[in-house]
mmCIF file with all atom_site columns, all heavy atoms in Angstrom:
data_model
loop_
_atom_site.group_PDB
_atom_site.id
_atom_site.type_symbol
_atom_site.label_atom_id
_atom_site.label_alt_id
_atom_site.label_comp_id
_atom_site.label_asym_id
_atom_site.label_entity_id
_atom_site.label_seq_id
_atom_site.pdbx_PDB_ins_code
_atom_site.Cartn_x
_atom_site.Cartn_y
_atom_site.Cartn_z
_atom_site.occupancy
_atom_site.B_iso_or_equiv
_atom_site.pdbx_formal_charge
_atom_site.auth_seq_id
_atom_site.auth_comp_id
_atom_site.auth_asym_id
_atom_site.auth_atom_id
_atom_site.pdbx_PDB_model_num
ATOM 1   N N   . PHE A 1 1  ? 156.587 135.425 76.747 1.00 98.00 ? 141 PHE A N   1
ATOM 2   C CA  . PHE A 1 1  ? 155.577 135.220 75.705 1.00 98.00 ? 141 PHE A CA  1
ATOM 3   C C   . PHE A 1 1  ? 154.220 135.268 76.382 1.00 98.00 ? 141 PHE A C   1
ATOM 4   O O   . PHE A 1 1  ? 153.824 134.344 77.095 1.00 98.00 ? 141 PHE A O   1
ATOM 5   C CB  . PHE A 1 1  ? 155.779 133.863 75.033 1.00 98.00 ? 141 PHE A CB  1
ATOM 6   C CG  . PHE A 1 1  ? 155.015 133.685 73.745 1.00 98.00 ? 141 PHE A CG  1
ATOM 7   C CD1 . PHE A 1 1  ? 155.680 133.678 72.526 1.00 98.00 ? 141 PHE A CD1 1
ATOM 8   C CD2 . PHE A 1 1  ? 153.634 133.501 73.749 1.00 98.00 ? 141 PHE A CD2 1
ATOM 9   C CE1 . PHE A 1 1  ? 154.974 133.496 71.335 1.00 98.00 ? 141 PHE A CE1 1
ATOM 10  C CE2 . PHE A 1 1  ? 152.929 133.331 72.570 1.00 98.00 ? 141 PHE A CE2 1
ATOM 11  C CZ  . PHE A 1 1  ? 153.603 133.322 71.348 1.00 98.00 ? 141 PHE A CZ  1
ATOM 12  N N   . VAL A 1 2  ? 153.496 136.380 76.178 1.00 98.00 ? 142 VAL A N   1
ATOM 13  C CA  . VAL A 1 2  ? 152.230 136.622 76.883 1.00 98.00 ? 142 VAL A CA  1
ATOM 14  C C   . VAL A 1 2  ? 151.177 137.105 75.903 1.00 98.00 ? 142 VAL A C   1
ATOM 15  O O   . VAL A 1 2  ? 151.451 137.942 75.034 1.00 98.00 ? 142 VAL A O   1
ATOM 16  C CB  . VAL A 1 2  ? 152.415 137.662 78.011 1.00 98.00 ? 142 VAL A CB  1
ATOM 17  C CG1 . VAL A 1 2  ? 151.065 138.038 78.626 1.00 98.00 ? 142 VAL A CG1 1
ATOM 18  C CG2 . VAL A 1 2  ? 153.357 137.141 79.079 1.00 98.00 ? 142 VAL A CG2 1
ATOM 19  N N   . GLY A 1 3  ? 149.988 136.564 76.045 1.00 98.00 ? 143 GLY A N   1
ATOM 20  C CA  . GLY A 1 3  ? 148.847 137.049 75.281 1.00 98.00 ? 143 GLY A CA  1
ATOM 21  C C   . GLY A 1 3  ? 147.703 137.362 76.225 1.00 98.00 ? 143 GLY A C   1
ATOM 22  O O   . GLY A 1 3  ? 147.476 136.636 77.196 1.00 98.00 ? 143 GLY A O   1
ATOM 23  N N   . VAL A 1 4  ? 147.001 138.456 75.966 1.00 98.00 ? 144 VAL A N   1
ATOM 24  C CA  . VAL A 1 4  ? 145.859 138.839 76.804 1.00 98.00 ? 144 VAL A CA  1
ATOM 25  C C   . VAL A 1 4  ? 144.675 139.186 75.912 1.00 98.00 ? 144 VAL A C   1
ATOM 26  O O   . VAL A 1 4  ? 144.843 139.765 74.837 1.00 98.00 ? 144 VAL A O   1
ATOM 27  C CB  . VAL A 1 4  ? 146.201 140.035 77.727 1.00 98.00 ? 144 VAL A CB  1
ATOM 28  C CG1 . VAL A 1 4  ? 147.313 139.656 78.694 1.00 98.00 ? 144 VAL A CG1 1
ATOM 29  C CG2 . VAL A 1 4  ? 146.583 141.265 76.926 1.00 98.00 ? 144 VAL A CG2 1
ATOM 30  N N   . GLN A 1 5  ? 143.473 138.826 76.352 1.00 97.00 ? 145 GLN A N   1
ATOM 31  C CA  . GLN A 1 5  ? 142.278 139.093 75.572 1.00 97.00 ? 145 GLN A CA  1
ATOM 32  C C   . GLN A 1 5  ? 141.806 140.540 75.734 1.00 97.00 ? 145 GLN A C   1
ATOM 33  O O   . GLN A 1 5  ? 141.082 141.062 74.903 1.00 97.00 ? 145 GLN A O   1
ATOM 34  C CB  . GLN A 1 5  ? 141.166 138.134 75.997 1.00 97.00 ? 145 GLN A CB  1
ATOM 35  C CG  . GLN A 1 5  ? 139.885 138.265 75.194 1.00 97.00 ? 145 GLN A CG  1
ATOM 36  C CD  . GLN A 1 5  ? 140.093 138.052 73.712 1.00 97.00 ? 145 GLN A CD  1
ATOM 37  O OE1 . GLN A 1 5  ? 140.313 136.954 73.260 1.00 97.00 ? 145 GLN A OE1 1
ATOM 38  N NE2 . GLN A 1 5  ? 140.044 139.131 72.940 1.00 97.00 ? 145 GLN A NE2 1
ATOM 39  N N   . TYR A 1 6  ? 142.251 141.192 76.770 1.00 97.00 ? 146 TYR A N   1
ATOM 40  C CA  . TYR A 1 6  ? 141.810 142.562 77.064 1.00 97.00 ? 146 TYR A CA  1
ATOM 41  C C   . TYR A 1 6  ? 142.825 143.584 76.544 1.00 97.00 ? 146 TYR A C   1
ATOM 42  O O   . TYR A 1 6  ? 143.775 143.237 75.836 1.00 97.00 ? 146 TYR A O   1
ATOM 43  C CB  . TYR A 1 6  ? 141.599 142.723 78.572 1.00 97.00 ? 146 TYR A CB  1
ATOM 44  C CG  . TYR A 1 6  ? 142.721 142.148 79.414 1.00 97.00 ? 146 TYR A CG  1
ATOM 45  C CD1 . TYR A 1 6  ? 143.894 142.851 79.641 1.00 97.00 ? 146 TYR A CD1 1
ATOM 46  C CD2 . TYR A 1 6  ? 142.611 140.873 79.979 1.00 97.00 ? 146 TYR A CD2 1
ATOM 47  C CE1 . TYR A 1 6  ? 144.924 142.326 80.411 1.00 97.00 ? 146 TYR A CE1 1
ATOM 48  C CE2 . TYR A 1 6  ? 143.637 140.336 80.748 1.00 97.00 ? 146 TYR A CE2 1
ATOM 49  C CZ  . TYR A 1 6  ? 144.787 141.073 80.955 1.00 97.00 ? 146 TYR A CZ  1
ATOM 50  O OH  . TYR A 1 6  ? 145.817 140.554 81.707 1.00 97.00 ? 146 TYR A OH  1
ATOM 51  N N   . HIS A 1 7  ? 142.613 144.843 76.889 1.00 97.00 ? 147 HIS A N   1
ATOM 52  C CA  . HIS A 1 7  ? 143.455 145.932 76.388 1.00 97.00 ? 147 HIS A CA  1
ATOM 53  C C   . HIS A 1 7  ? 144.145 146.661 77.543 1.00 97.00 ? 147 HIS A C   1
ATOM 54  O O   . HIS A 1 7  ? 143.654 147.691 78.023 1.00 97.00 ? 147 HIS A O   1
ATOM 55  C CB  . HIS A 1 7  ? 142.608 146.911 75.569 1.00 97.00 ? 147 HIS A CB  1
ATOM 56  C CG  . HIS A 1 7  ? 142.132 146.350 74.277 1.00 97.00 ? 147 HIS A CG  1
ATOM 57  N ND1 . HIS A 1 7  ? 142.850 146.463 73.104 1.00 97.00 ? 147 HIS A ND1 1
ATOM 58  C CD2 . HIS A 1 7  ? 141.022 145.627 73.976 1.00 97.00 ? 147 HIS A CD2 1
ATOM 59  C CE1 . HIS A 1 7  ? 142.198 145.857 72.133 1.00 97.00 ? 147 HIS A CE1 1
ATOM 60  N NE2 . HIS A 1 7  ? 141.086 145.340 72.631 1.00 97.00 ? 147 HIS A NE2 1
ATOM 61  N N   . PRO A 1 8  ? 145.285 146.162 77.987 1.00 98.00 ? 148 PRO A N   1
ATOM 62  C CA  . PRO A 1 8  ? 145.970 146.790 79.123 1.00 98.00 ? 148 PRO A CA  1
ATOM 63  C C   . PRO A 1 8  ? 146.493 148.190 78.813 1.00 98.00 ? 148 PRO A C   1
ATOM 64  O O   . PRO A 1 8  ? 146.707 148.980 79.732 1.00 98.00 ? 148 PRO A O   1
ATOM 65  C CB  . PRO A 1 8  ? 147.122 145.820 79.410 1.00 98.00 ? 148 PRO A CB  1
ATOM 66  C CG  . PRO A 1 8  ? 147.374 145.144 78.100 1.00 98.00 ? 148 PRO A CG  1
ATOM 67  C CD  . PRO A 1 8  ? 146.024 144.992 77.472 1.00 98.00 ? 148 PRO A CD  1
ATOM 68  N N   . GLU A 1 9  ? 146.685 148.510 77.537 1.00 98.00 ? 149 GLU A N   1
ATOM 69  C CA  . GLU A 1 9  ? 147.205 149.836 77.194 1.00 98.00 ? 149 GLU A CA  1
ATOM 70  C C   . GLU A 1 9  ? 146.272 150.954 77.641 1.00 98.00 ? 149 GLU A C   1
ATOM 71  O O   . GLU A 1 9  ? 146.717 152.091 77.872 1.00 98.00 ? 149 GLU A O   1
ATOM 72  C CB  . GLU A 1 9  ? 147.448 149.945 75.680 1.00 98.00 ? 149 GLU A CB  1
ATOM 73  C CG  . GLU A 1 9  ? 146.220 149.953 74.798 1.00 98.00 ? 149 GLU A CG  1
ATOM 74  C CD  . GLU A 1 9  ? 145.735 148.576 74.400 1.00 98.00 ? 149 GLU A CD  1
ATOM 75  O OE1 . GLU A 1 9  ? 146.093 147.602 75.084 1.00 98.00 ? 149 GLU A OE1 1
ATOM 76  O OE2 . GLU A 1 9  ? 144.988 148.476 73.400 1.00 98.00 ? 149 GLU A OE2 1
ATOM 77  N N   . LEU A 1 10 ? 144.995 150.637 77.814 1.00 97.00 ? 150 LEU A N   1
ATOM 78  C CA  . LEU A 1 10 ? 144.022 151.667 78.182 1.00 97.00 ? 150 LEU A CA  1
ATOM 79  C C   . LEU A 1 10 ? 144.128 152.092 79.641 1.00 97.00 ? 150 LEU A C   1
ATOM 80  O O   . LEU A 1 10 ? 143.549 153.110 80.035 1.00 97.00 ? 150 LEU A O   1
ATOM 81  C CB  . LEU A 1 10 ? 142.602 151.165 77.899 1.00 97.00 ? 150 LEU A CB  1
ATOM 82  C CG  . LEU A 1 10 ? 142.312 150.810 76.428 1.00 97.00 ? 150 LEU A CG  1
ATOM 83  C CD1 . LEU A 1 10 ? 140.890 150.306 76.279 1.00 97.00 ? 150 LEU A CD1 1
ATOM 84  C CD2 . LEU A 1 10 ? 142.552 152.003 75.523 1.00 97.00 ? 150 LEU A CD2 1
ATOM 85  N N   . LYS A 1 11 ? 144.868 151.343 80.437 1.00 97.00 ? 151 LYS A N   1
ATOM 86  C CA  . LYS A 1 11 ? 145.007 151.682 81.853 1.00 97.00 ? 151 LYS A CA  1
ATOM 87  C C   . LYS A 1 11 ? 146.423 152.124 82.212 1.00 97.00 ? 151 LYS A C   1
ATOM 88  O O   . LYS A 1 11 ? 146.721 152.366 83.380 1.00 97.00 ? 151 LYS A O   1
ATOM 89  C CB  . LYS A 1 11 ? 144.604 150.490 82.727 1.00 97.00 ? 151 LYS A CB  1
ATOM 90  C CG  . LYS A 1 11 ? 143.122 150.135 82.625 1.00 97.00 ? 151 LYS A CG  1
ATOM 91  C CD  . LYS A 1 11 ? 142.739 148.972 83.530 1.00 97.00 ? 151 LYS A CD  1
ATOM 92  C CE  . LYS A 1 11 ? 142.815 149.335 84.992 1.00 97.00 ? 151 LYS A CE  1
ATOM 93  N NZ  . LYS A 1 11 ? 142.307 148.256 85.867 1.00 97.00 ? 151 LYS A NZ  1
ATOM 94  N N   . SER A 1 12 ? 147.284 152.226 81.229 1.00 97.00 ? 152 SER A N   1
ATOM 95  C CA  . SER A 1 12 ? 148.662 152.638 81.501 1.00 97.00 ? 152 SER A CA  1
ATOM 96  C C   . SER A 1 12 ? 148.748 154.158 81.627 1.00 97.00 ? 152 SER A C   1
ATOM 97  O O   . SER A 1 12 ? 148.048 154.893 80.919 1.00 97.00 ? 152 SER A O   1
ATOM 98  C CB  . SER A 1 12 ? 149.581 152.156 80.379 1.00 97.00 ? 152 SER A CB  1
ATOM 99  O OG  . SER A 1 12 ? 150.932 152.395 80.692 1.00 97.00 ? 152 SER A OG  1
ATOM 100 N N   . ARG A 1 13 ? 149.605 154.622 82.528 1.00 96.00 ? 153 ARG A N   1
ATOM 101 C CA  . ARG A 1 13 ? 149.800 156.053 82.753 1.00 96.00 ? 153 ARG A CA  1
ATOM 102 C C   . ARG A 1 13 ? 151.296 156.338 82.896 1.00 96.00 ? 153 ARG A C   1
ATOM 103 O O   . ARG A 1 13 ? 152.065 155.463 83.312 1.00 96.00 ? 153 ARG A O   1
ATOM 104 C CB  . ARG A 1 13 ? 149.079 156.495 84.036 1.00 96.00 ? 153 ARG A CB  1
ATOM 105 C CG  . ARG A 1 13 ? 147.569 156.263 84.009 1.00 96.00 ? 153 ARG A CG  1
ATOM 106 C CD  . ARG A 1 13 ? 146.870 157.197 83.035 1.00 96.00 ? 153 ARG A CD  1
ATOM 107 N NE  . ARG A 1 13 ? 145.428 157.021 83.043 1.00 96.00 ? 153 ARG A NE  1
ATOM 108 C CZ  . ARG A 1 13 ? 144.769 156.193 82.229 1.00 96.00 ? 153 ARG A CZ  1
ATOM 109 N NH1 . ARG A 1 13 ? 145.440 155.447 81.363 1.00 96.00 ? 153 ARG A NH1 1
ATOM 110 N NH2 . ARG A 1 13 ? 143.458 156.114 82.269 1.00 96.00 ? 153 ARG A NH2 1
ATOM 111 N N   . PRO A 1 14 ? 151.736 157.543 82.585 1.00 94.00 ? 154 PRO A N   1
ATOM 112 C CA  . PRO A 1 14 ? 153.177 157.831 82.707 1.00 94.00 ? 154 PRO A CA  1
ATOM 113 C C   . PRO A 1 14 ? 153.699 157.650 84.129 1.00 94.00 ? 154 PRO A C   1
ATOM 114 O O   . PRO A 1 14 ? 154.818 157.175 84.327 1.00 94.00 ? 154 PRO A O   1
ATOM 115 C CB  . PRO A 1 14 ? 153.291 159.289 82.239 1.00 94.00 ? 154 PRO A CB  1
ATOM 116 C CG  . PRO A 1 14 ? 151.907 159.845 82.332 1.00 94.00 ? 154 PRO A CG  1
ATOM 117 C CD  . PRO A 1 14 ? 150.996 158.705 82.064 1.00 94.00 ? 154 PRO A CD  1
ATOM 118 N N   . PHE A 1 15 ? 152.882 158.016 85.142 1.00 94.00 ? 155 PHE A N   1
ATOM 119 C CA  . PHE A 1 15 ? 153.300 157.841 86.529 1.00 94.00 ? 155 PHE A CA  1
ATOM 120 C C   . PHE A 1 15 ? 153.120 156.403 87.003 1.00 94.00 ? 155 PHE A C   1
ATOM 121 O O   . PHE A 1 15 ? 153.714 155.997 87.996 1.00 94.00 ? 155 PHE A O   1
ATOM 122 C CB  . PHE A 1 15 ? 152.490 158.755 87.459 1.00 94.00 ? 155 PHE A CB  1
ATOM 123 C CG  . PHE A 1 15 ? 152.773 160.217 87.247 1.00 94.00 ? 155 PHE A CG  1
ATOM 124 C CD1 . PHE A 1 15 ? 151.766 161.150 87.394 1.00 94.00 ? 155 PHE A CD1 1
ATOM 125 C CD2 . PHE A 1 15 ? 154.051 160.661 86.907 1.00 94.00 ? 155 PHE A CD2 1
ATOM 126 C CE1 . PHE A 1 15 ? 152.022 162.503 87.211 1.00 94.00 ? 155 PHE A CE1 1
ATOM 127 C CE2 . PHE A 1 15 ? 154.303 162.006 86.714 1.00 94.00 ? 155 PHE A CE2 1
ATOM 128 C CZ  . PHE A 1 15 ? 153.303 162.926 86.863 1.00 94.00 ? 155 PHE A CZ  1
ATOM 129 N N   . ALA A 1 16 ? 152.282 155.650 86.294 1.00 96.00 ? 156 ALA A N   1
ATOM 130 C CA  . ALA A 1 16 ? 151.997 154.268 86.687 1.00 96.00 ? 156 ALA A CA  1
ATOM 131 C C   . ALA A 1 16 ? 151.955 153.401 85.434 1.00 96.00 ? 156 ALA A C   1
ATOM 132 O O   . ALA A 1 16 ? 150.870 153.005 84.986 1.00 96.00 ? 156 ALA A O   1
ATOM 133 C CB  . ALA A 1 16 ? 150.684 154.187 87.453 1.00 96.00 ? 156 ALA A CB  1
ATOM 134 N N   . PRO A 1 17 ? 153.109 153.092 84.843 1.00 97.00 ? 157 PRO A N   1
ATOM 135 C CA  . PRO A 1 17 ? 153.130 152.237 83.655 1.00 97.00 ? 157 PRO A CA  1
ATOM 136 C C   . PRO A 1 17 ? 152.459 150.902 83.943 1.00 97.00 ? 157 PRO A C   1
ATOM 137 O O   . PRO A 1 17 ? 152.622 150.338 85.025 1.00 97.00 ? 157 PRO A O   1
ATOM 138 C CB  . PRO A 1 17 ? 154.629 152.056 83.381 1.00 97.00 ? 157 PRO A CB  1
ATOM 139 C CG  . PRO A 1 17 ? 155.282 153.251 84.013 1.00 97.00 ? 157 PRO A CG  1
ATOM 140 C CD  . PRO A 1 17 ? 154.455 153.538 85.231 1.00 97.00 ? 157 PRO A CD  1
ATOM 141 N N   . HIS A 1 18 ? 151.701 150.410 82.994 1.00 98.00 ? 158 HIS A N   1
ATOM 142 C CA  . HIS A 1 18 ? 151.038 149.128 83.209 1.00 98.00 ? 158 HIS A CA  1
ATOM 143 C C   . HIS A 1 18 ? 152.089 148.039 83.408 1.00 98.00 ? 158 HIS A C   1
ATOM 144 O O   . HIS A 1 18 ? 153.088 147.995 82.684 1.00 98.00 ? 158 HIS A O   1
ATOM 145 C CB  . HIS A 1 18 ? 150.149 148.782 82.009 1.00 98.00 ? 158 HIS A CB  1
ATOM 146 C CG  . HIS A 1 18 ? 149.180 147.681 82.298 1.00 98.00 ? 158 HIS A CG  1
ATOM 147 N ND1 . HIS A 1 18 ? 149.561 146.348 82.374 1.00 98.00 ? 158 HIS A ND1 1
ATOM 148 C CD2 . HIS A 1 18 ? 147.834 147.694 82.543 1.00 98.00 ? 158 HIS A CD2 1
ATOM 149 C CE1 . HIS A 1 18 ? 148.510 145.610 82.643 1.00 98.00 ? 158 HIS A CE1 1
ATOM 150 N NE2 . HIS A 1 18 ? 147.451 146.397 82.761 1.00 98.00 ? 158 HIS A NE2 1
ATOM 151 N N   . PRO A 1 19 ? 151.905 147.156 84.395 1.00 98.00 ? 159 PRO A N   1
ATOM 152 C CA  . PRO A 1 19 ? 152.929 146.151 84.690 1.00 98.00 ? 159 PRO A CA  1
ATOM 153 C C   . PRO A 1 19 ? 153.273 145.249 83.507 1.00 98.00 ? 159 PRO A C   1
ATOM 154 O O   . PRO A 1 19 ? 154.419 144.797 83.385 1.00 98.00 ? 159 PRO A O   1
ATOM 155 C CB  . PRO A 1 19 ? 152.327 145.346 85.847 1.00 98.00 ? 159 PRO A CB  1
ATOM 156 C CG  . PRO A 1 19 ? 150.865 145.664 85.834 1.00 98.00 ? 159 PRO A CG  1
ATOM 157 C CD  . PRO A 1 19 ? 150.762 147.054 85.324 1.00 98.00 ? 159 PRO A CD  1
ATOM 158 N N   . LEU A 1 20 ? 152.310 144.989 82.624 1.00 98.00 ? 160 LEU A N   1
ATOM 159 C CA  . LEU A 1 20 ? 152.608 144.149 81.468 1.00 98.00 ? 160 LEU A CA  1
ATOM 160 C C   . LEU A 1 20 ? 153.509 144.862 80.478 1.00 98.00 ? 160 LEU A C   1
ATOM 161 O O   . LEU A 1 20 ? 154.421 144.267 79.894 1.00 98.00 ? 160 LEU A O   1
ATOM 162 C CB  . LEU A 1 20 ? 151.317 143.707 80.787 1.00 98.00 ? 160 LEU A CB  1
ATOM 163 C CG  . LEU A 1 20 ? 150.389 142.809 81.601 1.00 98.00 ? 160 LEU A CG  1
ATOM 164 C CD1 . LEU A 1 20 ? 149.223 142.316 80.741 1.00 98.00 ? 160 LEU A CD1 1
ATOM 165 C CD2 . LEU A 1 20 ? 151.142 141.626 82.198 1.00 98.00 ? 160 LEU A CD2 1
ATOM 166 N N   . PHE A 1 21 ? 153.296 146.153 80.283 1.00 98.00 ? 161 PHE A N   1
ATOM 167 C CA  . PHE A 1 21 ? 154.159 146.908 79.370 1.00 98.00 ? 161 PHE A CA  1
ATOM 168 C C   . PHE A 1 21 ? 155.532 147.128 79.995 1.00 98.00 ? 161 PHE A C   1
ATOM 169 O O   . PHE A 1 21 ? 156.554 147.099 79.300 1.00 98.00 ? 161 PHE A O   1
ATOM 170 C CB  . PHE A 1 21 ? 153.503 148.236 78.997 1.00 98.00 ? 161 PHE A CB  1
ATOM 171 C CG  . PHE A 1 21 ? 152.446 148.089 77.948 1.00 98.00 ? 161 PHE A CG  1
ATOM 172 C CD1 . PHE A 1 21 ? 151.115 147.895 78.303 1.00 98.00 ? 161 PHE A CD1 1
ATOM 173 C CD2 . PHE A 1 21 ? 152.770 148.108 76.604 1.00 98.00 ? 161 PHE A CD2 1
ATOM 174 C CE1 . PHE A 1 21 ? 150.136 147.732 77.338 1.00 98.00 ? 161 PHE A CE1 1
ATOM 175 C CE2 . PHE A 1 21 ? 151.805 147.954 75.625 1.00 98.00 ? 161 PHE A CE2 1
ATOM 176 C CZ  . PHE A 1 21 ? 150.479 147.763 75.994 1.00 98.00 ? 161 PHE A CZ  1
ATOM 177 N N   . ALA A 1 22 ? 155.579 147.348 81.302 1.00 98.00 ? 162 ALA A N   1
ATOM 178 C CA  . ALA A 1 22 ? 156.864 147.482 81.987 1.00 98.00 ? 162 ALA A CA  1
ATOM 179 C C   . ALA A 1 22 ? 157.650 146.174 81.866 1.00 98.00 ? 162 ALA A C   1
ATOM 180 O O   . ALA A 1 22 ? 158.852 146.170 81.583 1.00 98.00 ? 162 ALA A O   1
ATOM 181 C CB  . ALA A 1 22 ? 156.650 147.852 83.450 1.00 98.00 ? 162 ALA A CB  1
ATOM 182 N N   . GLY A 1 23 ? 156.966 145.036 82.067 1.00 98.00 ? 163 GLY A N   1
ATOM 183 C CA  . GLY A 1 23 ? 157.628 143.746 81.961 1.00 98.00 ? 163 GLY A CA  1
ATOM 184 C C   . GLY A 1 23 ? 158.053 143.428 80.537 1.00 98.00 ? 163 GLY A C   1
ATOM 185 O O   . GLY A 1 23 ? 159.118 142.842 80.306 1.00 98.00 ? 163 GLY A O   1
ATOM 186 N N   . PHE A 1 24 ? 157.219 143.803 79.583 1.00 98.00 ? 164 PHE A N   1
ATOM 187 C CA  . PHE A 1 24 ? 157.517 143.565 78.164 1.00 98.00 ? 164 PHE A CA  1
ATOM 188 C C   . PHE A 1 24 ? 158.765 144.324 77.731 1.00 98.00 ? 164 PHE A C   1
ATOM 189 O O   . PHE A 1 24 ? 159.665 143.765 77.089 1.00 98.00 ? 164 PHE A O   1
ATOM 190 C CB  . PHE A 1 24 ? 156.311 143.985 77.324 1.00 98.00 ? 164 PHE A CB  1
ATOM 191 C CG  . PHE A 1 24 ? 156.478 143.799 75.846 1.00 98.00 ? 164 PHE A CG  1
ATOM 192 C CD1 . PHE A 1 24 ? 156.802 142.556 75.315 1.00 98.00 ? 164 PHE A CD1 1
ATOM 193 C CD2 . PHE A 1 24 ? 156.291 144.866 74.976 1.00 98.00 ? 164 PHE A CD2 1
ATOM 194 C CE1 . PHE A 1 24 ? 156.941 142.377 73.928 1.00 98.00 ? 164 PHE A CE1 1
ATOM 195 C CE2 . PHE A 1 24 ? 156.418 144.708 73.609 1.00 98.00 ? 164 PHE A CE2 1
ATOM 196 C CZ  . PHE A 1 24 ? 156.746 143.462 73.080 1.00 98.00 ? 164 PHE A CZ  1
#
């Protein structure tokens, strides 16, 4: 259960999935 004030989706890439999305 994680909430973030920022937008991690904007830094995700196919070769480097954002760690929060990978963990989710």
